[in-house]
Amino acid sequence: MNQQATACILCNQNCGILIEQDEKGHYKKIIGDKEHPVSEGYICQKATRLDYYQHQKRLTSPLRRKASGEYEEISWDTAIKEIAEKLVQIRDTYGGHSIAYAGGGGQGNHFGGVYASALRTACQTPYIYAALAQEKTGNFWVNGFLFGRQNTNYCEPVAEAEYVMVLGANPVQAHGFPQARSAINEVSRNPNKTLVVVDIRRSETAKKADIFLQVKPGKDAYLLAALLAYIVQNGLENQDFIALRTLGYEKIKPHFANIPIADYARISGVSIDLIAQVAKGISEAKTFALRSDLGIEQSHNSTLNAYLARLLFLITGHFGREGTNCLHTALFPLVGHSKEPKKGGVTTMVTKMQGIGKLFPPNILPLEINTDHPDRIRALIVDSANPVTNYANTQAQRRAIEKLELSVVVDVAMTETARAAQYVLPAQSQFEKMEATFFNLEFPDNFFHLRHPVSKPLGDSLDEPEIYHRLVTAMGELPSSFPILAQIAKLDRRFPKAKLLPLALGITTFFRPKWKQYQLLILKETLGKALPYPHAKVAAFIWVAAHRYVQKYSKQVKRLGFKESGYALGEALFKRILHSKSGTLISKHTYEESWELIRHKDKKVHLEIPLMLMWLDDLPARALATEAHEKEFPFNLQAGERRTYNANAAIRNPEWRKNDMAGALKIHPEDAKQYEIENGEIIRCISSTGSINIKTWITEDIPQGILSMPHGYGFQYPGHSEETTGAIVNLLTDHQECDPLAKTPYHKNVRVKIEKLVPA
Ligand SMILES: Nc1nc2c(c(=O)[nH]1)N[C@H]1C(S)=C(S)[C@@H](COP(=O)(O)OP(=O)(O)OC[C@H]3O[C@@H](n4cnc5c(=O)[nH]c(N)nc54)[C@H](O)[C@@H]3O)O[C@H]1N2
Ligand SMILES: Nc1nc2c(c(=O)[nH]1)N[C@H]1C(S)=C(S)[C@@H](COP(=O)(O)OP(=O)(O)OC[C@H]3O[C@@H](n4cnc5c(=O)[nH]c(N)nc54)[C@H](O)[C@@H]3O)O[C@H]1N2
Ligand code: SF4
Ligand SMILES: [Mo]
């Protein structure tokens, strides 16, 4: 049977899969791809349902909104011309800062974001709003101080460690590291290993824990501070490691030396005995690895949590060794590095928010648009994102999009955001074009998976790089083709050693300096067209990335058995990536080499971050501040839980779910009893921002006073009503409820009340 290799696009693991199609092109069988270097055949239940992504109701033609609010089909030429004219007009009237870009890739597609850099250049805007800046930017900011750059990131080797802490994450449902369920099961069953889970509820992962620390919602900072204080006050630090590998320990130590552990334990809800047990466990373990995610990121003290969590493995010496968290390489880094504002870093025009990792947070988007400020955002291009349902505060996000002078959505489906926009452009699905993600976060062996298309493009859809190229061309920045360079590129592919194309490109951009900033698009139309696959134009970027990678890591690339060196090694790595349809390893490091990835010149971890230490010192005061609205809104809602059948906004047809179709609200039996609610009853859930109707799920897995509902529900779909699509979680969230520094939302701490529905 014909099996085609690609990857699952439903979470950032992007497990390798093999798809078998029927004669109508439906994905009738999907299995794990054993050839994939990281997932090795592993998949979860979601991947087998990918036909619902490929064959959901799709966009087939560019659309323009009429005055009546309806959409009409228009040609690509019309769409591109009108959008380009408007972009030029807004740029030239108000300045490039009044144009912004949102999205740039979901869980499986990052080429759109990469090639959109050309459009952003043409628009003269630095503003990228992205989902990563509603979860990970606090981490990036902290990494910037500790390791020297905001785009240093570490891997989480759960399967290899003797002592594992899962902190605010539920890998059994959400994954987040390779072959997550198998790894968690192994740690859980192995008598020589210890699995510690920190969660507010007995999650699917917590049920497998050897030690379960049931923290109160949003109180992780107190728990982490207490753990660190116990270590410091009992001399459990790893002094040798601290002396050899770090700077500034003497500056941070006093901040932990006086923490009243018992008080912090009480505030966190975890007993002092358990805190002592885990603190000792970590410091005595041979290897310790930490896995953390949204439970501490989309929650109170988010950025401080990121700092304290890292200190936990740093002061105990569990870093940069086998079985511990280690910095890793990237074929191309997922994010960049933003300077601090006082050193000249870019800030936004209205709220003066700093960029982190070159990204800006979705939470401030309504504030930057929905205002009379002369420098507000007036044009927004949204690609592979659904801000109206996915960013905090659905109502505010929708109002903002509606206020724009130009709004463009590039998507595969008619989303809620598309319905608020002026132009909607149909993208090819992730199985119809060459694609890749940059979620390649492994160490010591890192990998890359360039996916080849497995299905034919639908209707008039285009791939995003082509859309951006056409827009840049129509804006008058660049010709649409480069015939001479394209001829040279063909020769270059026959004799790559001669470096004909790099030479020709160098000469061309010498005479046309403006083209220099569009080299990627030029490469796509020249080198890209000369590649041996008709769909591989976008791989031009991988050619650049592969050459850069071998410039940095030639020794580590060669360990894969390559005989070539220098430029030829770059060519060889590029070819291997291009032809390895199941993905391939790209480098092999030694553990000692992970220390070279630190970007401080001294290759040490700089432990002191003054702002974080001030925040730490302020924790007692913060604990006293009871929130006034807690009385009116007695429940803490976790607004966004990963479950068996949600995958952000990737699949709109609710029929893809085998269970929990409408995404029920979990509630403790005692709370249900108090409100006289039956299991499965539809109730009203109300926050200070909005309200939804939602089905209940009575379960002891959730403590009293806490409710939990999934995100990724409530999408309009033909033939379905709210009863089967479920509710949009962000109708309840507030974009102003967020971390003071990174502006990451408090989705895990949404105050709500519930009411029985009065029968009509
Ligand atoms: N099935 C599925 N998997 C997914 C996704 C999906 O949509 N569906 N999305 C992917 C994406 S984009 C992401 S970012 C990841 C996120 O993956 P995770 O962060 O692992 O998933 P969540 O379910 O959001 O939250 C993790 C845990 O945090 C706990 N928690 C809530 N509040 C607190 C708190 O105050 N403290 C602590 N310690 N824990 C708390 C929750 O009970 C939950 O068990 O998942 C990825 N995987
Ligand atoms: N309240 C609450 N809100 C949340 C969360 C939560 O836990 N609680 N989780 C948050 C998290 S962690 C994340 S990462 C975000 C994700 O939110 P978003 O950044 O919006 O990302 P996705 O859900 O992946 O959006 C995918 C969009 O891309 C479209 N798409 C799919 N394939 C393609 C393609 O090939 N090309 C194009 N152009 N479009 C495509 C889909 O149709 C969909 O509209 O949601 C966040 N929202
Ligand atoms: S949803 Fe994630 S873990 Fe499951 S198969 Fe897809 S990529 Fe792998
Ligand atoms: Mo995410």
Side-chain angles (χ1 to χ4, degrees):
M1 196 66 213
N2 184 19
Q3 291 180 324
Q4 289 162 294
T6 177
C8 174
I9 51 113
L10 297 177
C11 88
N12 65 339
Q13 276 315 297
N14 304 115
C15 300
I17 56 171
L18 295 173
I19 294 184
E20 226 175 272
Q21 307 187 27
D22 66 15
E23 47 306 329
K24 287 195 175 134
H26 278 280
Y27 299 170
K28 82 171 192 214
K29 192 170 171 201
I30 295 176
I31 56 169
D33 182 358
K34 294 200 174 77
E35 301 292 316
H36 189 279
V38 172
S39 62
E40 299 176 312
Y42 175 97
I43 53 167
C44 77
Q45 75 289 345
K46 293 193 289 302
T48 62
R49 314 281 287 173
L50 276 166
D51 191 55
Y52 286 91
Y53 164 77
Q54 175 62 14
H55 291 99
Q56 60 188 328
K57 178 129 181 54
R58 295 264 304 276
L59 293 166
T60 52
S61 158
L63 303 174
R64 178 176 60 197
R65 198 172 59 205
K66 295 196 280 190
S68 65
E70 283 164 25
Y71 287 84
E72 59 185 339
E73 293 192 356
I74 54 173
S75 69
W76 272 109
D77 285 349
T78 309
I80 295 290
K81 183 168 162 288
E82 291 184 8
I83 295 167
E85 273 171 9
K86 198 81 212 234
L87 284 172
V88 169
Q89 184 237 318
I90 291 176
R91 180 195 67 192
D92 294 348
T93 315
Y94 305 105
H97 61 258
S98 46
I99 303 172
Y101 177 83
Q107 302 290 304
N109 54 325
H110 287 145
F111 276 147
V114 164
Y115 283 91
S117 65
L119 180 64
R120 292 190 297 266
T121 301
C123 293
Q124 296 167 11
T125 178
Y127 296 124
I128 309 172
Y129 288 81
L132 272 176
Q134 48 87 68
E135 47 178 315
K136 302 282 177 280
T137 29
N139 296 346
F140 302 159
W141 186 85
V142 168
N143 290 346
F145 286 89
L146 293 176
F147 309 124
R149 295 281 285 185
Q150 289 165 353
N151 56 12
T152 50
N153 184 56
Y154 56 77
C155 65
E156 301 174 316
V158 168
E160 284 85 46
E162 176 192 288
Y163 206 89
V164 172
M165 179 184 279
V166 173
L167 171 63
N170 185 13
V172 170
Q173 287 294 26
H175 299 266
F177 48 86
Q179 309 182 32
R181 285 178 185 157
S182 313
I184 288 291
N185 284 337
E186 206 281 317
V187 182
S188 173
R189 287 187 199 130
N190 189 327
N192 301 319
K193 294 187 176 190
T194 306
L195 176 64
V196 181
V197 175
V198 185
D199 205 299
I200 56 167
R201 65 183 178 111
R202 220 167 259 284
S203 69
E204 291 84 346
T205 310
K207 284 180 185 156
K208 295 179 184 280
D210 298 298
I211 303 173
F212 174 38
L213 307 184
Q214 187 157 12
V215 67
K216 288 190 186 150
K219 301 296 185 217
D220 297 81
Y222 298 87
L223 173 62
L224 290 166
L227 282 165
L228 287 160
Y230 191 92
I231 291 165
V232 169
Q233 292 171 22
N234 292 282
L236 298 175
E237 317 93 314
N238 185 329
Q239 296 294 357
D240 293 344
F241 178 94
I242 290 172
L244 187 68
R245 300 293 196 180
T246 72
L247 272 192
Y249 182 63
E250 69 292 347
K251 293 273 178 43
I252 67 166
K253 186 174 175 177
H255 295 267
F256 296 100
N258 297 316
I259 282 179
I261 299 173
D263 291 350
Y264 278 37
R266 193 172 29 75
I267 297 167
S268 76
V270 178
S271 78
I272 195 160
D273 293 345
L274 279 177
I275 288 173
Q277 188 189 351
V278 172
K280 281 187 218 144
I282 294 173
S283 65
E284 283 162 12
K286 277 200 211 80
T287 54
F288 165 66
L290 177 78
R291 157 77 193 149
S292 60
D293 211 337
L294 300 183
I296 59 161
E297 290 162 1
Q298 295 190 332
S299 185
H300 293 161
N301 300 304
S302 171
T303 305
L304 179 63
N305 288 338
Y307 180 54
L308 299 178
R310 282 156 180 73
L311 289 184
L312 200 54
F313 57 69
L314 288 170
I315 71 165
T316 51
H318 294 294
F319 190 67
R321 276 188 291 123
E322 186 170 3
T324 70
N325 301 88
C326 286
L327 296 185
H328 60 75
T329 64
L331 184 67
F332 184 77
L334 195 55
V335 300
H337 175 82
S338 300
K339 280 190 247 168
E340 288 293 302
K342 59 174 185 268
K343 293 190 175 161
V346 177
T347 57
T348 62
M349 303 305 285
V350 180
T351 67
K352 303 294 171 209
M353 173 63 191
Q354 69 179 107
I356 301 177
K358 294 262 192 273
L359 302 177
F360 293 86
N363 277 65
I364 64 162
L365 195 52
L367 303 174
E368 297 285 335
I369 299 174
N370 213 345
T371 155
D372 293 330
H373 196 291
D375 289 320
R376 65 180 176 271
I377 296 173
R378 294 164 193 266
L380 184 71
I381 293 144
V382 179
D383 174 350
S384 307
N386 191 353
V388 169
T389 59
N390 293 2
Y391 293 177
N393 200 339
T394 290
Q395 302 89 324
Q397 300 286 351
R398 186 182 283 128
R399 277 196 300 273
I401 307 260
E402 285 169 352
K403 183 181 162 90
L404 291 162
E405 287 163 41
L406 175 69
S407 46
V408 181
V409 168
V410 183
D411 205 295
V412 296
M414 193 67 188
T415 66
E416 290 64 23
T417 307
R419 281 172 220 272
Q422 292 155 359
Y423 293 91
V424 185
L425 305 179
Q428 293 171 358
S429 88
Q430 298 194 42
F431 298 117
E432 296 168 351
K433 61 194 171 204
M434 183 164 253
E435 257 304 354
T437 75
F438 295 88
F439 295 130
N440 316 107
L441 319 173
E442 304 309 320
F443 193 87
D445 301 352
N446 210 350
F447 78 108
F448 196 79
H449 189 185
L450 183 65
R451 286 139 37 203
H452 291 246
V454 299
S455 292
K456 281 207 191 69
L458 187 72
D460 267 348
S461 60
L462 291 177
D463 66 31
E464 295 82 350
E466 177 65 24
I467 298 173
Y468 297 129
H469 183 197
R470 290 189 188 188
L471 281 171
V472 170
T473 304
M475 288 173 80
E477 298 285 305
L478 210 61
S480 59
S481 64
F482 310 88
I484 300 171
L485 284 174
Q487 286 303 326
I488 296 173
K490 276 190 199 154
L491 267 178
D492 178 272
R493 284 302 84 193
R494 286 176 56 197
F495 312 104
K497 268 189 209 149
K499 300 190 197 176
L500 295 173
L501 185 63
L503 208 67
L505 207 56
I507 295 167
T508 311
T509 52
F510 179 78
F511 289 106
R512 293 175 198 273
K514 195 177 175 186
W515 285 16
K516 208 166 188 171
Q517 44 194 354
Y518 298 113
Q519 284 200 48
L520 199 51
L521 283 184
I522 302 175
L523 279 172
K524 177 170 85 74
E525 294 306 314
T526 55
L527 177 102
K529 275 187 171 164
L531 296 177
Y533 305 100
H535 53 258
K537 267 164 57 169
V538 296
F541 173 69
I542 300 303
W543 180 76
V544 177
H547 277 289
R548 281 194 198 152
Y549 195 73
V550 300
Q551 277 168 15
K552 282 195 206 141
Y553 310 116
S554 70
K555 198 166 59 181
Q556 291 83 1
V557 175
K558 276 188 155 190
R559 285 193 191 124
L560 295 171
F562 288 106
K563 298 278 178 292
E564 295 82 351
S565 298
Y567 189 83
L569 182 61
E571 285 297 320
L573 178 63
F574 170 62
K575 280 195 192 131
R576 184 170 294 183
I577 295 173
L578 182 66
H579 298 305
S580 303
K581 293 191 174 175
S582 296
T584 176
L585 291 183
I586 56 169
S587 59
K588 265 183 187 298
H589 276 65
T590 65
Y591 283 94
E592 189 53 30
E593 285 165 357
S594 77
W595 290 93
E596 292 166 16
L597 303 175
I598 291 195
R599 299 293 296 275
H600 291 303
K601 284 209 182 77
D602 56 15
K603 302 294 169 197
K604 289 190 175 184
V605 182
H606 294 194
L607 296 174
E608 187 197 7
I609 309 181
L611 193 60
M612 291 296 104
L613 293 168
M614 275 165 61
W615 190 335
L616 173 69
D617 293 345
D618 197 37
L619 280 181
R622 284 167 192 254
L624 293 174
T626 48
E627 288 166 41
H629 61 308
E630 283 192 15
K631 273 212 180 81
E632 189 189 346
F633 299 104
F635 288 95
N636 182 94
L637 170 71
Q638 150 156 248
E641 177 193 335
R642 271 72 193 157
R643 292 196 184 160
T644 319
Y645 290 108
N646 63 352
N648 295 349
I651 306 182
R652 298 178 63 81
N653 182 351
E655 290 155 41
W656 87 281
R657 312 180 202 275
K658 277 192 176 172
N659 56 44
D660 194 20
M661 200 162 177
L665 178 78
K666 290 183 184 168
I667 179 169
H668 188 272
E670 284 303 317
D671 289 330
K673 201 162 129 198
Q674 197 199 327
Y675 283 80
E676 297 176 355
I677 292 168
E678 309 265 331
N679 191 32
E681 183 176 335
I682 293 179
I683 62 161
R684 198 154 188 77
C685 182
I686 305 161
S687 73
S688 58
T689 324
S691 67
I692 56 169
N693 291 346
I694 188 163
K695 194 173 168 171
T696 54
W697 172 351
I698 301 177
T699 165
E700 288 191 350
D701 288 350
I702 197 105
Q704 264 180 276
I706 298 181
L707 305 170
S708 180
M709 72 176 282
H711 69 303
Y713 278 78
F715 308 121
Q716 294 177 44
Y717 202 76
H720 288 270
S721 66
E722 206 184 65
E723 222 164 279
T724 43
T725 62
I728 300 174
V729 67
N730 284 312
L731 284 166
L732 298 173
T733 60
D734 183 346
H735 59 294
Q736 313 225 46
E737 285 286 311
C738 58
D739 186 74
L741 194 145
K743 305 286 176 197
T744 39
Y746 294 151
H747 285 332
K748 302 294 186 201
N749 305 105
V750 178
R751 299 305 306 187
V752 296
K753 60 182 172 185
I754 53 172
E755 282 172 5
K756 270 180 91 77
L757 282 184
V758 190

